[in-house]
């Protein structure tokens, strides 16, 4: 049993070190899978919670993204795994008293499942020649592409995604994107590609222009990505500045 625990610890540390060697920034993501019938109620509670955070000023910051399938994702920068032990809202809870607990009880009536996991921003696979940033002014619309992979296919998928970035660079594409890799807390491994735009129409126009720029040769490049993928999922969404927070 002791040797098994040792092997598991070494395996986890190895996976973490591999992730960190490819990506400089980690993020903790809390996601609520909100029931459609509860969307209006959830939005009100989420706004009240954001306003309360601005009033009581707990340490931390996050951006909030809402997807077309009703996922509310709160994304916070994570310096290291020791931060996961911090109780960010302890002082706020004391100050608010019973109202704090009630707010989270109200949250819990709006979804059947929620959870936390860690992702890492992979700058070596991301394509933003003018500098990598999660948010761009006036571009709150998002396209998210989840590329799931089996462990034995990770190296091949990563190499294929390098080919995509190489093609975009060669053609001088203006369709910038960020790549995140799933990490601690995620069972089915994936790379997630995030593309920003003004709105759905702008995303469609830019996507079509980019396809024409990349040309017929792009089929082979993207084909290698799909060949190494176990599953592909496309989701749209919006960044919600009104539900973002940053301590003073």
């Amino acid at each position: 049993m002791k040797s098994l625990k040792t092997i598991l610890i070494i395996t986890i540390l190895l996976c973490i070190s591999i992730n960190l060697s490819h990506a400089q920034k980690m993020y903790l993501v809390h996601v609520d899978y909100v029931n459609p019938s509860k969307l209006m109620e959830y939005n009100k509670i989420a706004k009240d919670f954001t306003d309360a955070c601005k009033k009581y000023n707990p340490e931390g910051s996050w951006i909030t993204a809402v997807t077309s399938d009703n996922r509310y994702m709160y994304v916070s920068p994570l310096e290291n795994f020791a931060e996961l032990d911090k109780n960010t809202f302890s002082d706020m809870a004391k100050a608010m008293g019973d109202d704090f607990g009630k707010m989270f009880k109200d949250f819990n009536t709006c979804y059947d499942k929620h959870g936390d996991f860690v992702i890492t921003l992979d700058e070596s696979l991301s394509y933003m020649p003018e500098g990598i940033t999660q948010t761009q002014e006036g571009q709150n619309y998002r396209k998210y592409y989840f590329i799931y992979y089996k462990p034995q296919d990770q190296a091949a998928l990563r190499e294929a995604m390098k080919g995509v970035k190489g093609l975009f660079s060669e053609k001088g594409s203006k369709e910038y994107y960020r790549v995140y890799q799933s990490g601690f807390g995620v069972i089915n491994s994936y790379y997630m590609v995030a593309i920003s735009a003004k709105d759905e129409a702008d995303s469609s126009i830019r996507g079509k222009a980019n396809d024409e720029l990349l040309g017929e040769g792009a089929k082979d490049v993207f084909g290698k990505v799909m060949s190494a993928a176990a599953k592909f999922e496309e989701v749209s969404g919006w960044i919600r500045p009104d539900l973002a927070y940053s301590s003073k």
Side-chain angles (χ1 to χ4, degrees):
M1 182 63 70
K2 184 177 180 180
S3 61
L4 176 59
K5 288 182 179 178
T6 302
I7 292 172
L8 288 173
I9 292 171
I10 292 173
T11 301
I12 291 171
L13 290 176
L14 180 60
C15 290
I16 291 172
S17 66
I18 289 173
N19 283 346
L20 293 180
S21 69
H22 294 314
Q24 292 73 29
K25 296 178 182 177
M26 294 191 299
Y27 297 91
L28 175 64
V29 181
H30 177 82
V31 57
D32 293 334
Y33 293 81
V34 180
N35 296 327
S37 62
K38 291 287 188 174
L39 283 173
M40 291 183 65
E41 183 178 343
Y42 182 93
N43 270 290
K44 182 183 182 306
I45 301 167
K47 188 65 171 64
D48 289 344
F49 173 68
T50 304
D51 291 342
C53 287
K54 292 176 180 177
K55 178 179 179 180
Y56 293 100
N57 197 38
E59 182 180 355
S61 65
W62 58 81
I63 62 172
T64 303
V66 182
T67 65
S68 54
D69 56 356
N70 303 328
R71 281 181 256 180
Y72 281 68
M73 301 185 291
Y74 302 86
V75 185
S76 306
L78 187 66
E79 290 296 325
N80 51 59
F81 285 96
E83 288 193 329
L84 297 176
D85 292 329
K86 292 182 180 179
N87 186 352
T88 303
F89 302 107
S90 58
D91 291 340
M92 179 176 169
K94 290 178 183 177
M96 292 185 65
D98 292 341
D99 288 341
F100 185 83
K102 182 183 182 304
M103 188 159 45
F104 280 90
K105 285 182 181 179
D106 291 342
F107 266 127
N108 289 340
T109 65
C110 296
Y111 45 72
D112 297 325
K113 60 180 180 178
H114 66 158
D116 303 280
F117 56 90
V118 173
I119 58 175
T120 52
L121 171 63
D122 194 323
E123 294 189 10
S124 66
L125 292 182
S126 300
Y127 176 71
M128 295 191 76
E130 298 173 7
I132 297 178
T133 176
Q134 282 190 299
T135 56
Q136 301 83 49
E137 186 176 355
Q139 298 187 48
N140 287 332
Y141 182 78
R142 292 291 185 273
K143 278 288 188 182
Y144 298 109
Y145 300 94
F146 293 84
I147 309 170
Y148 295 85
Y149 60 86
K150 298 176 181 178
Q152 65 266 30
D153 296 327
Q154 181 181 0
L157 178 57
R158 183 175 181 79
E159 197 62 29
M161 292 179 72
K162 285 182 181 178
V164 173
K165 181 176 180 178
L167 177 63
F168 275 56
S169 298
E170 177 188 339
K171 296 290 187 176
S173 173
K174 297 299 181 183
E175 185 78 306
Y176 297 165
Y177 60 84
R178 296 161 301 289
V179 176
Y180 300 84
Q181 185 177 6
S182 63
F184 183 77
V186 176
I187 299 300
N188 297 316
S189 300
Y190 61 79
Y191 285 103
M192 189 267 283
V193 181
I195 302 178
S196 306
K198 295 178 182 178
D199 50 33
E200 185 174 4
D202 180 50
S203 175
S204 178
I205 292 170
R206 288 169 52 176
K208 183 177 180 181
N210 191 60
D211 289 342
E212 293 175 354
L213 174 69
L214 298 182
E216 287 296 317
K219 291 181 180 179
D220 291 337
V221 176
F222 283 104
K224 291 179 181 178
V225 172
M226 300 308 292
S227 294
K231 187 174 72 170
F232 182 85
E233 179 184 13
E234 177 182 341
V235 181
S236 61
W238 289 88
I239 295 295
R240 288 283 300 273
D242 60 319
L243 299 182
Y245 171 77
S246 182
S247 55
K248 299 175 183 177

